[in-house]
Amino acid sequence: QVQLVESGGGLVQPGGSLRLSCAASGSIFDFYTMGWYRQAPGKQRELVAAITSGGSTNYADSVKGRFAISRDNAKNTVYLQMNSLKHEETAVYYCNAHHWNRPDYWGQGTQVTVSS
């Protein structure tokens, strides 16, 4: 069974950067598409970025060019580099593990606050 633990969130000024990490346990990590979602207060959870086991990436239009998702399968870890952060991107960021024929796994979330 996969467990996901996010880290790296915190307070950052607009225009600043953060790198989130998601450490996964379990031997099936390599077969999962890994993703980052975020949920702002009162808002719907949305996909931010995803990366397949083969390294193919997908980004929300709003973060293209500013965020970069990567994974290190040897470390069972997925990262989200976030640059030029905006106030409206304040949210809880969740790590997700997705398999085509298995239930998704979710981390507990890490808070990202973009504020002056």
Side-chain angles (χ1 to χ4, degrees), residues 30-48:
D30 292 355
F31 301 101
Y32 278 68
T33 292
M34 303 300 298
W36 288 95
Y37 290 73
R38 65 189 176 193
Q39 187 167 22
K43 302 292 185 179
Q44 192 77 25
R45 185 177 61 210
E46 64 174 348
L47 174 67
V48 178

Side-chain angles (χ1 to χ4, degrees), residues 104-115:
D104 283 16
Y105 292 93
W106 294 91
Q108 82 287 349
T110 185
Q111 177 71 46
V112 172
T113 302
V114 185
S115 177

Side-chain angles (χ1 to χ4, degrees), residues 3-20:
Q3 297 183 50
L4 307 175
V5 180
E6 303 99 331
S7 62
L11 177 64
V12 63
Q13 290 185 302
S17 298
L18 284 175
R19 190 176 81 151
L20 306 182

